[in-house]
Amino acid sequence: MDNMKKVGNSSCSDGFLLRMGLNDNKAGMQGLDKEKINSIIMKATKGSRFYENELKKDQQVNQRIEKMMQLKEKITTQQLLKAQLQVDKLVTELEQSRNLSNTIVHIDMDAFYAAVEMRDHPELKDKPIAVGSMSMLSTSNYHARRYGVRAAMPGFIAKKLCPHLTIVPLNFEKYGKVSKEVREILAEYDPNFMPMGLDEAYLNITEHLEERVNWPEDKRRFVFNTESTTEKDKDDTNMSAKFNEGGYSSSPVLFEDNTPLMDDHPDQRGQSAENSVVFGTSAEEAVKEIRFRIEQKTQLTASAGIAPNTTLAKMCSDRNKPNGQCRIVPERQAVLDFLKDLPIRKVPGIGKVTEKMLKALGIVTCSELYQQRALLSLLFSEASWRNFLDISLGLGSTHLEKDGERKSMSTERTFSEINRAEDQYSLCRELCRDLAQELQKEGLKGKTVTLKLKNVNFEVKTRALTVLSSVSTEEEIFAVAKELLGTEIDSVAPHPLRIRLMGVRVSGFLSEEEKKYQQKSITSFLKSGKEISFLRLQPAKSNQEYFTENSEASPRGSFFDKKRAARQLNHENLSLNETACQQPFHDGKSSANFVEETKKATDLENSNVCTIFTCPVCFEEQSSDNLEEFNRHIDECLNGTLVKDTVEISKNDISRENTLKFLPQFQNENVDERQKNRTDQLAGADQSASTSDNSSSKSTKKIIQIVPDKPHSKRQPSNLSDIARSVCMKQCLFPQKASLDNKDHFGETERAEETSSSCFLEAKEDSVLVCPVCNSEQKTTSLVSFNRHVDVCLNKGLIQELTEKKDFPTETYNMENSNRVVVSNFFSGGSNRRQQCTNPSQGTKRSGLTTSQSVSKKAKSSDSKHTIEKFFK
DNA sequence: CGGATCGAC
DNA sequence: CTATGTCGATCCG
C-alpha cells in the first residue's frame, strides 16, 4: 500500500531524469555536478511539448506499476509458496543445463564516433566533443560526459550544459570504414563473430583458444606500429605526431589492468623484442591481443568482456570501460559473484521501464531478482519472468546465433512540422520508395504495411494493414500506406494532421518456402487451408472477391483466425475498394486521393457463372442456389459437427503441412506488374475469370465451389474457425486449384493458366446477413456493423471453446487472481510455447523483455543506422 | 492481426 | 533564434 502510493505520486520528473542518465560524475575537477546538470536540463526542457509527453509516458508507466502492485496485494502466501515450488523446480533444471564451456567475448569500442572524430581532428583531442547535431547527439567523448553530455541528448541542451562543446556532424561512411578494419581483426579469432552495430561485436573464441594453446610464440607476437599505415592517415597528415603523443606509449592497453600480464608465459612480455610484444595463450591474453591490434590498426581503444555466455560477456565489457577488459571465469560461483550486486539495469534487455517496475518491487540487483523469483512468476508474463530467472542465474546464449531471418523492415524520418496533406502524401511516397529499395536489396516481400506518425506533441500512433498478396515495390507499399495515411488525415479533419515524424514499415515476410510457392492467393490457400473470400455487400458498384491469407503465425489458433476474418472484412473493404464501396472511415472527399487517385478495380465478369454451392461442412453439393436455404443447411451441418471439430484440429494442421511441400510453383508472379492497388489483390481472381478451363487441376480443397464443372474431392473442415469463416462468407467462393494429392502434377505446372479458376458469387441486392456464430439474422446491411457483431460473437465463442479444452494449462500457474495469465497463454498460442523452450545451453530462447539478444540484426542494416552510443556507465 | 511499448544503439 | 532519433522485436488484447 505504501508502495503504491509512492508510485502514484512519484514526482513527475522522476522518469524523465532517469532517462537523461544523469549519474556518476566522476567527482572530477572540471564538469558539473549532478544537481547542476539536472537543473540545467530541467530548465531547458520544461514546458516543451517533448517534456509534456515525457510526463505523460511516465504516468502511464506509473499506472502500470500501480496495477502490478494491486495484483501483488492479492497474492496469498499459499500462492506464493506454490509458485516458489514450481519456479525452484525449474531452477534445478536450468542449473543442470548450465554450460560454462564456451568462451564468449564482447568487444565494445569506446565512445566510438567521438573517438574517430578526435583521431581525425587532433585539435579536438582535449576538448569536450559530441557527435551528432543540434537536435540529437549520437555520442560524446569522456570529456564532455563530465558535463552531463550524453548520447541521445539533443545538442542544444548539451550546449547549455557545456557551452564549449564542439558538435561534430555524423560521418557514417568513415565509421563504417573503421568498423570494417576492426572486423577484419575480429574475424581472425572467430570467423563467425557477430557484429552488433558498428562499434560492438560478439566472438566465440572457444576454438581459437584451443588452437592457441599450441601456437608458437611467433604467432602471438605483434609489433608496435609507430608508422601510420592506415588509410585514415591519408586524410590526416598529422597522424604520426598525434599518435606518438597520445598513442600507444600512454595507452593503457597493455598496462592498465592490475592483472598480471602473463599467465602461462610469465615473462614473455619482458622478453619480447623492443618493438614487439608477445601475448599469452589464455583468454585474457587473447583478448588483450585483440584490443592491442585494434588500437594499433585504428588508434582507437576498445573494451571487452569475457564470459561463458553472451549476456555475461556484454555486462562484463561494461565493467572496466573505457579501454579495459574483464573476465568471468567459467565457474558457477564466479558468475554468481559477478551478479550479486549488479544492478538489473545493466542487464541487456532490461531498460528504463522494467527497471522501474522491478524497483517498485524492491528489486534493484540481480540477486534480489533471484530472491523474488516466485513473486515475479506471478506478476509477469511467462516469457518475462523466465527471462528474469535466466538473468539472475547468469544464464545466456553460449553460442552466437546465426542471423535469423529478419521479421520486418522500416524507415522513418523526423522533420519540422508538416501539416499539408499534399506534403504528407509525397513524403509518404518517398518513404515507401526508400523502403522498397531496401526490401529489394534483400529480396523481401511482406504482407503487412504499418504507418507510423508522431504528431507535434510527440504522440506516436501506428496504423497497420495486412493485405493478401505481399508487397515490395514503392507503388504497392504506397498504395497501402496512402490508405492508412488518408484515414488518419480524415480522422482529424477538418483540422490538419500536424506531424513531426512519419515512418513506413513492412512486415509479415514470406518464408523461403512461401516465396517459392506463394504465387497466387490460391496457392496460399492450399497451404493454409484458411482462405477467406468475401462477397461485397454493396452490390451497387461491383462484386469483388477478396482473399485473405492466413499466416503461419498461429498454426492452431482458431481464435485469431476468427478475429482476423472479421477484422479483415473491414480492412479489405476499406483499402481495396475505396471507390467501389462505401468508406466507413472516410468521408466522401477522402484525402487519400489527394495525390494519387486510386485506380478502379477491374470489375470481374461474373454474370454468367453458373453457381453450385457445396456445403463446407458436409461437402454435399446443394441443389438450391437460394442463398438463404444454403445458409440454413450450413447452419445445421455446423451444429452437428461442432464437437468433432476441436478434436480434429491438430490432425488437419499436420496434413496441411505435409501437403505444402508439394505445391506447384506458379509463374504469374509478375503478370500484373502493371496492376497496382487493389487490382493486384485480385490477380488471382482476375486470372481465373479468364481461365475457365481448370480441368487439369484436382481440386481437393474446395470448400464452396461455384464453378460450373469439376467435381471435387472432399476436404475435411480443418476446424471450427474454418467453418465459421466459410459460413461467415457464405456467399463467397474459394479459389481452388489444386493438386494437393497429385505430386506428378508438379514441376510441369509452370503455366499460369493452370493455376486456378475461381468464381464469384453473385451478390444479391437483398442478401441477408446471418451471423455464422449465433445464427441470427442481422438487420444491418453494413458490413462494418455486421463484422462488429460477428466479432463479438466470436469472442463469446472463444470463451466456450476455452472451457472445452481439457488440456488448457489452468493449473499450471496462478489462475485465481490473474486472468492475465490465462489470456496471455491463450493469445500467444504457439508463440508462447515456443519461447518456453528451456535449454540455456541451446542459446537464445529469449523473448519478452529481452530483445536484442534473441534477434540477430543484419549487420548491413545496423551499419546504416543512426546509432547512439549507450549512455549509462 | 493491430497498436503500443520496450530496448538497443 | 529553434531544437529531443531510428530501428526491430515483443507484448497485450
Side-chain angles (χ1 to χ4, degrees):
Chain A
M1 224 40 199
D2 215 78
N3 258 342
M4 263 176 56
K5 248 197 154 136
K6 251 193 213 152
V7 168
N9 297 338
S10 75
S11 134
C12 49
S13 60
D14 253 353
F16 179 64
L17 292 181
L18 209 77
R19 181 181 167 281
M20 294 316 273
L22 301 179
N23 39 24
D24 53 343
N25 175 13
K26 303 209 163 128
M29 33 275 116
Q30 302 167 32
L32 276 40
D33 63 41
K34 208 167 162 180
E35 221 166 285
K36 184 76 181 159
I37 292 172
N38 274 350
S39 86
I40 294 178
I41 293 179
M42 254 323 185
K43 207 178 138 193
T45 204
K46 214 172 225 161
S48 65
R49 294 174 192 267
F50 174 80
Y51 180 67
E52 293 303 316
N53 190 252
E54 287 298 308
L55 293 184
K56 208 179 95 188
K57 289 195 307 198
D58 221 62
Q59 295 294 341
Q60 281 166 1
V61 173
N62 287 340
Q63 278 177 17
R64 267 180 74 180
I65 291 176
E66 202 167 316
K67 266 198 181 134
M68 179 181 73
M69 298 307 275
Q70 278 169 13
L71 206 60
K72 185 192 164 194
E73 295 290 316
K74 293 187 191 160
I75 293 176
T76 67
T77 318
Q78 202 174 10
Q79 288 173 320
L80 204 57
L81 283 171
K82 191 175 167 191
Q84 187 80 45
L85 284 176
Q86 282 169 346
V87 174
D88 282 351
K89 202 174 132 202
L90 181 60
V91 168
T92 311
E93 286 171 30
L94 291 173
E95 196 59 68
Q96 277 167 5
S97 64
R98 188 189 289 274
N99 177 357
L100 298 166
S101 64
N102 284 272
T103 307
I104 308 292
V105 177
H106 181 249
I107 299 281
D108 191 341
M109 301 296 292
D110 301 319
F112 186 52
Y113 302 163
V116 173
E117 297 301 342
M118 283 164 71
R119 180 194 71 179
D120 295 350
H121 303 281
E123 70 277 9
L124 299 177
K125 190 138 192 111
D126 298 314
K127 295 187 181 171
I129 75 163
V131 181
S133 71
M134 225 31 169
S135 327
M136 185 55 55
L137 302 180
S138 285
T139 189
S140 58
N141 66 2
Y142 282 83
H143 194 84
R145 288 182 200 187
R146 287 206 287 268
Y147 292 87
V149 175
R150 297 302 167 110
M153 175 181 280
F156 70 94
I157 287 179
K159 274 283 195 185
K160 290 185 176 159
L161 288 167
C162 176
H164 307 304
L165 183 72
T166 304
I167 297 182
V168 186
L170 284 157
N171 184 347
F172 278 112
E173 212 177 306
K174 191 155 72 178
Y175 313 140
K177 258 177 157 176
V178 181
S179 184
K180 193 174 158 232
E181 291 180 347
V182 173
R183 290 176 188 181
E184 280 167 10
I185 295 171
L186 300 184
E188 290 184 36
Y189 298 83
D190 176 9
N192 300 317
F193 78 100
M194 188 197 295
M196 304 290 290
L198 288 174
D199 69 333
E200 282 183 38
Y202 289 100
L203 288 77
N204 185 340
I205 60 166
T206 314
E207 279 185 35
H208 168 84
L209 291 176
E210 279 169 20
E211 295 169 18
R212 188 182 175 92
V213 176
N214 303 314
W215 279 8
E217 226 177 82
D218 269 359
K219 267 185 115 169
R220 293 178 273 118
R221 180 189 304 279
F222 292 88
V223 295
F224 288 78
N225 174 15
T226 46
E227 294 302 321
S228 23
T229 52
T230 62
E231 307 157 300
K232 304 278 143 331
D233 301 347
K234 292 168 199 155
D235 304 333
D236 186 340
T237 50
N238 287 331
M239 196 52 67
S240 281
K242 185 182 61 192
F243 184 54
N244 289 334
E245 138 205 354
Y248 191 71
S249 59
S250 65
S251 158
V253 163
L254 294 177
F255 315 108
E256 104 258 20
D257 328 67
N258 297 325
T259 56
L261 292 176
M262 40 283 159
D263 32 286
D264 355 14
H265 301 270
D267 28 0
Q268 260 166 18
R269 198 97 63 203
Q271 289 170 353
S272 58
E274 211 172 294
N275 63 343
S276 76
V277 59
V278 174
F279 293 89
T281 57
S282 69
E284 282 93 337
E285 287 288 312
V287 171
K288 280 182 189 174
E289 179 181 297
I290 293 173
R291 293 170 51 225
F292 173 80
R293 293 180 64 191
I294 289 175
E295 185 173 8
Q296 288 293 298
K297 192 168 183 180
T298 68
Q299 299 147 49
L300 302 170
T301 62
S303 297
I306 310 163
N309 66 54
T310 55
T311 311
L312 292 172
K314 167 130 181 136
M315 299 188 294
C316 243
S317 70
D318 188 63
R319 178 143 301 189
N320 289 325
K321 201 174 267 196
N323 198 7
Q325 66 183 60
C326 169
R327 180 180 189 200
I328 298 175
V329 294
E331 293 163 11
R332 179 172 175 274
Q333 195 53 48
V335 172
L336 299 184
D337 288 346
F338 181 88
L339 292 173
K340 181 145 190 309
D341 297 316
L342 188 76
I344 48 167
R345 186 57 169 90
K346 295 278 188 185
V347 178
I350 295 196
K352 190 189 50 163
V353 175
T354 309
E355 178 190 32
K356 195 168 174 179
M357 297 220 292
L358 292 175
K359 195 171 180 180
L361 298 171
I363 299 171
V364 174
T365 66
C366 290
S367 43
E368 288 160 350
L369 193 65
Y370 180 73
Q371 287 158 17
Q372 301 283 22
R373 59 194 179 283
L375 177 62
L376 294 174
S377 77
L378 296 176
L379 292 177
F380 287 81
S381 74
E382 170 128 2
S384 295
W385 70 257
R386 282 191 178 241
N387 180 39
F388 293 152
L389 204 56
D390 283 347
I391 290 167
S392 57
L393 289 170
L395 302 173
S397 309
T398 55
H399 67 275
L400 308 184
E401 291 205 328
K402 283 254 142 222
D403 258 16
E405 286 291 293
R406 169 204 286 286
K407 297 197 177 99
S408 74
M409 187 185 277
S410 69
T411 184
E412 69 189 61
R413 222 166 284 164
T414 296
F415 34 76
S416 51
E417 175 172 346
I418 294 183
N419 49 38
R420 292 175 51 212
E422 188 181 1
D423 297 339
Q424 289 164 353
Y425 279 111
S426 56
L427 174 66
C428 181
R429 177 181 281 286
E430 215 173 286
L431 289 166
C432 291
R433 178 158 51 238
D434 292 351
L435 186 56
Q437 218 162 47
E438 291 303 307
L439 282 170
Q440 256 137 39
K441 273 187 202 162
E442 297 190 29
L444 294 170
K445 282 174 151 240
K447 283 171 294 197
T448 302
V449 175
T450 306
L451 180 74
K452 175 177 174 182
L453 298 174
K454 190 193 282 182
N455 68 15
V456 289
N457 292 323
F458 290 88
E459 293 161 337
V460 178
K461 232 189 243 175
T462 60
R463 292 290 178 264
L465 197 52
T466 300
V467 294
L468 346 105
S469 70
S470 52
V471 295
S472 65
T473 67
E474 173 193 342
E475 293 304 327
E476 289 165 344
I477 300 169
F478 182 64
V480 184
K482 173 192 68 176
E483 213 61 47
L484 293 165
L485 178 56
T487 305
E488 288 312 303
I489 291 176
D490 293 346
S491 76
V492 295
H495 300 295
L497 201 54
R498 304 179 60 196
I499 53 174
R500 65 171 354 262
L501 171 143
M502 187 187 294
V504 179
R505 163 180 308 246
V506 170
S507 54
F509 296 135
L510 280 59
S511 66
E512 279 308 312
E513 200 137 352
E514 282 174 308
K515 251 187 232 166
K516 220 161 164 187
Y517 298 126
Q518 186 263 357
Q519 222 350 69
K520 297 292 85 190
S521 37
I522 183 121
T523 318
S524 322
F525 166 65
L526 291 177
K527 171 183 179 171
S528 68
K530 291 176 184 174
E531 204 81 1
I532 299 165
S533 299
F534 191 73
L535 171 70
R536 177 161 317 287
L537 291 177
Q538 301 290 316
K541 308 282 183 170
S542 72
N543 306 323
Q544 294 187 341
E545 178 186 16
Y546 295 98
F547 309 120
T548 317
E549 179 185 10
N550 186 20
S551 79
E552 315 254 88
S554 44
R556 55 182 298 240
S558 62
F559 175 69
F560 276 125
D561 294 342
K562 294 170 186 171
K563 291 280 279 187
R564 181 166 39 245
R567 177 158 35 216
Q568 224 136 12
L569 294 179
N570 285 337
H571 286 137
E572 301 304 341
N573 285 337
L574 181 59
S575 75
L576 299 180
N577 207 15
E578 177 178 305
T579 51
C581 98
Q582 65 166 6
Q583 300 173 31
F585 306 136
H586 287 214
D587 52 24
K589 47 173 177 61
S590 166
S591 51
N593 293 321
F594 200 93
V595 167
E596 184 185 341
E597 195 60 42
T598 307
K599 289 156 193 144
K600 276 237 165 189
T602 330
D603 278 5
L604 300 157
E605 272 90 44
N606 53 11
S607 46
N608 51 2
V609 175
C610 130
T611 64
I612 299 173
F613 292 154
T614 302
C615 170
V617 185
C618 72
F619 293 95
E620 296 293 329
E621 283 188 6
Q622 299 303 299
S623 46
S624 167
D625 61 351
N626 175 300
L627 268 185
E628 286 194 54
E629 215 172 298
F630 182 49
N631 287 344
R632 215 168 300 126
H633 168 88
I634 294 176
D635 289 343
E636 283 167 20
C637 269
L638 193 54
N639 284 330
T641 50
L642 267 178
V643 185
K644 206 170 128 199
D645 170 67
T646 46
V647 187
E648 291 184 351
I649 293 175
S650 56
K651 198 172 70 192
N652 279 291
D653 280 353
I654 290 166
S655 66
R656 193 180 304 139
E657 258 175 52
N658 289 340
T659 53
L660 170 62
K661 301 188 176 67
F662 306 111
L663 290 175
Q665 180 165 359
F666 296 113
Q667 288 298 304
N668 28 13
E669 170 93 356
N670 39 19
V671 157
D672 50 358
E673 198 63 59
R674 62 215 128 77
Q675 295 177 314
K676 309 298 186 196
N677 300 340
R678 67 184 89 94
T679 323
D680 95 333
Q681 315 289 344
L682 297 169
D686 196 4
Q687 190 162 51
S688 62
S690 58
T691 315
S692 60
D693 175 26
N694 62 345
S695 54
S696 65
S697 59
K698 319 240 168 154
S699 313
T700 58
K701 281 217 172 190
K702 269 178 238 174
I703 297 196
I704 301 180
Q705 180 167 16
I706 310 164
V707 181
D709 41 41
K710 290 308 91 198
H712 48 277
S713 47
K714 298 184 179 184
R715 170 184 176 269
Q716 289 304 307
S718 67
N719 60 27
L720 174 56
S721 54
D722 277 358
I723 296 174
R725 262 199 319 280
S726 49
V727 179
C728 176
M729 317 304 163
K730 275 168 184 177
Q731 337 170 330
C732 62
L733 57 355
F734 287 76
Q736 5 61 38
K737 158 55 188 190
S739 71
L740 272 184
D741 47 351
N742 187 355
K743 302 171 197 172
D744 308 343
H745 191 61
F746 262 65
E748 45 177 290
T749 322
E750 299 249 319
R751 292 174 298 145
E753 296 85 288
E754 282 185 325
T755 54
S756 81
S757 154
S758 53
C759 317
F760 312 97
L761 184 49
E762 222 175 315
K764 309 222 168 178
E765 311 267 337
D766 57 347
S767 297
V768 175
L769 292 170
V770 177
C771 173
V773 184
C774 71
N775 281 341
S776 69
E777 276 192 17
Q778 298 302 299
K779 301 257 185 305
T780 179
T781 56
S782 151
L783 269 188
V784 179
S785 355
F786 178 64
N787 288 342
R788 209 170 293 130
H789 169 86
V790 174
D791 220 357
V792 169
C793 273
L794 284 174
N795 273 315
K796 287 182 195 156
L798 158 67
I799 294 161
Q800 240 178 355
E801 212 174 322
L802 260 182
T803 51
E804 283 167 18
K805 301 237 179 198
K806 299 292 188 294
D807 60 337
F808 189 71
T810 40
E811 71 296 322
T812 310
Y813 305 106
N814 158 43
M815 302 300 299
E816 288 92 328
N817 292 316
S818 164
N819 67 353
R820 177 184 51 71
V821 178
V822 185
V823 172
S824 88
N825 270 342
F826 184 78
F827 275 96
S828 3
S831 79
N832 229 5
R833 257 160 262 280
R834 264 198 303 283
Q835 289 157 2
Q836 290 175 22
C837 123
T838 50
N839 187 351
S841 60
Q842 288 302 322
T844 48
K845 65 231 168 244
R846 314 180 151 264
S847 65
L849 297 174
T850 21
T851 50
S852 76
Q853 294 264 297
S854 65
V855 186
S856 27
K857 293 181 211 156
K858 298 257 176 186
K860 204 163 49 171
S861 78
S862 8
D863 281 1
S864 60
K865 200 156 68 185
H866 173 88
T867 64
I868 292 182
E869 192 173 299
K870 181 168 77 173
F871 110 68
F872 322 80
K873 274 233 48 193

